[in-house]
Amino acid sequence: MLNFLSMRKATAIAHPNIAFIKYWGNKDYFLNLPANSSISMNLANLETRTTLSLLDNLDADELILDGYLQTGSALQRVSAFLDIARQLSGNYCFAHIESVNSFPQSAGLASSASAFAALALAASHVYGLDLSEKELSILARRGSGSASRSIPDGFVEWHMGTSNDDSFAETIVPADYWQLWDYIAIVEEKPKKIGSSQGHRLADTSPLQAARLQSAPHRLTLCRQAILEKDFEKLANVIELDSNMMHAVMLTSHPPLLYWSPLSVELMRQVAEWRSEGLAAAYT
């Protein structure tokens, strides 16, 4: 959603997404081209709201995130992304950015996905870029891979592609096609010590990553069919398998990544028990 405040100021709202078939590992880190295609569902009740203003008196970009002025890597990442929009438009004016999340960052809720989707949408307006949904997805991907999936609505597939121009996300079915609810269990309130961007770079150090990638197309097909058929049992089986395979890659990377807590494992066991008793529940 975009609020056109003026040609030099815009506010955009985007939502994070939860991946059913995971994105983990890149084949091109500069372009954020993923090692495999992925499928996700957007989360309507979580959002990032970003306002971007072009100001002539700035000699560098300014970023305020959740009320705090940012420096260092956070600002550098946003500026590098805006440089892409500036190069596309030929307008090299610096920007003042204010962004607010309705949910925690760096906690596994894809805050970078909604952040860069909202930033791509706002930037495309203030820099005068007339972009289609596909082109917006491509632009958002340059900031964060999973941001490409937060541009289209509903249930989304991100095609890994082979170049900058064919790696984009599109809607499989709209949000109202199948009423699924994502329940978030907060098992830790601290940010991850190793963020996803760094974790992606470790994927190829795992001896299991090649097998995961080789079997990904089959899981994509099963997941897509489950959504189209509204078959929850099929969906539950494939999303739990895919999640476990991704975490197996993390655990066998060098150095290993352990994002699960004891409570995570207990909840996974509980969900499996609930489903065996007839409750339509799955974990990822």
Side-chain angles (χ1 to χ4, degrees):
M1 183 172 70
L2 183 66
N3 180 13
F4 296 93
L5 301 175
S6 73
M7 286 303 294
R8 294 176 63 85
K9 183 176 182 179
T11 297
I13 295 173
H15 304 275
N17 59 78
I18 183 71
F20 295 155
I21 303 299
K22 305 293 189 182
Y23 152 52
W24 196 251
N26 282 341
K27 57 186 177 185
D28 186 316
Y29 287 96
F30 178 72
L31 295 175
N32 279 339
L33 298 183
N36 64 278
S37 299
S38 56
I39 291 176
S40 65
M41 177 180 76
N42 285 318
L43 305 180
N45 293 330
L46 305 181
E47 68 177 38
T48 298
R49 179 185 296 265
T50 298
T51 299
L52 191 153
S53 307
L54 299 187
L55 302 177
D56 293 326
N57 61 343
L58 292 180
D59 56 9
D61 294 317
E62 291 180 345
L63 173 62
I64 298 176
L65 178 58
D66 291 330
Y68 295 94
L69 183 66
Q70 302 293 306
T71 59
S73 61
L75 177 60
Q76 291 168 8
R77 188 175 177 185
V78 165
S79 289
F81 176 77
L82 290 179
D83 282 342
I84 299 171
R86 287 187 274 256
Q87 291 166 5
L88 289 171
S89 68
N91 179 349
Y92 293 92
C93 190
F94 290 113
H96 174 82
I97 309 105
E98 295 191 27
S99 189
V100 178
N101 294 305
S102 68
F103 58 97
Q105 298 180 66
S106 302
L109 295 175
S111 58
S112 65
S114 54
F116 281 98
L119 187 59
L121 192 55
S124 68
H125 175 68
V126 299
Y127 285 109
L129 300 173
D130 184 18
L131 302 180
S132 65
E133 183 177 271
K134 174 182 175 180
E135 291 167 331
L136 276 170
S137 178
I138 289 171
L139 177 61
R141 189 201 73 232
R142 297 293 302 275
S144 171
S146 55
S148 65
R149 297 192 308 239
S150 283
I151 294 293
D153 189 26
F155 298 85
V156 172
E157 181 167 358
W158 175 17
H159 307 288
M160 64 177 179
T162 57
S163 69
N164 184 61
D165 296 332
D166 64 358
S167 181
F168 67 96
E170 63 180 346
T171 298
I172 300 173
V173 290
D176 60 1
Y177 180 80
W178 192 14
Q179 189 176 44
L180 294 181
W181 291 82
D182 184 67
Y183 288 88
I184 299 166
I186 301 173
V187 296
E188 288 186 8
E189 295 190 359
K190 299 179 295 183
K192 294 178 294 188
K193 290 183 179 180
I194 298 179
S196 299
S197 296
Q198 186 178 352
H200 282 293
R201 294 181 177 273
L202 298 176
D204 288 337
T205 68
S206 167
L208 303 183
Q209 175 72 339
R212 174 184 165 271
L213 296 179
Q214 185 179 25
S215 57
H218 178 60
R219 293 193 303 283
L220 280 159
T221 298
L222 291 176
C223 184
R224 198 183 305 110
Q225 289 174 345
I227 292 170
L228 293 173
E229 297 167 4
K230 300 181 184 179
D231 186 331
F232 189 83
E233 185 69 22
K234 182 185 289 186
L235 181 70
N237 288 332
V238 73
I239 67 175
E240 290 182 354
L241 172 62
D242 192 83
S243 177
N244 291 342
M245 291 181 74
M246 180 186 71
H247 282 277
V249 168
M250 294 174 178
L251 286 166
T252 52
S253 296
H254 181 73
L257 296 179
L258 178 56
Y259 285 145
W260 287 342
S261 72
L263 184 52
S264 304
V265 176
E266 179 56 34
L267 284 168
M268 290 156 62
R269 289 174 175 168
Q270 186 65 59
V271 167
E273 184 174 332
W274 287 335
R275 194 159 72 252
S276 72
E277 295 170 351
L279 181 66
Y283 67 80
T284 186

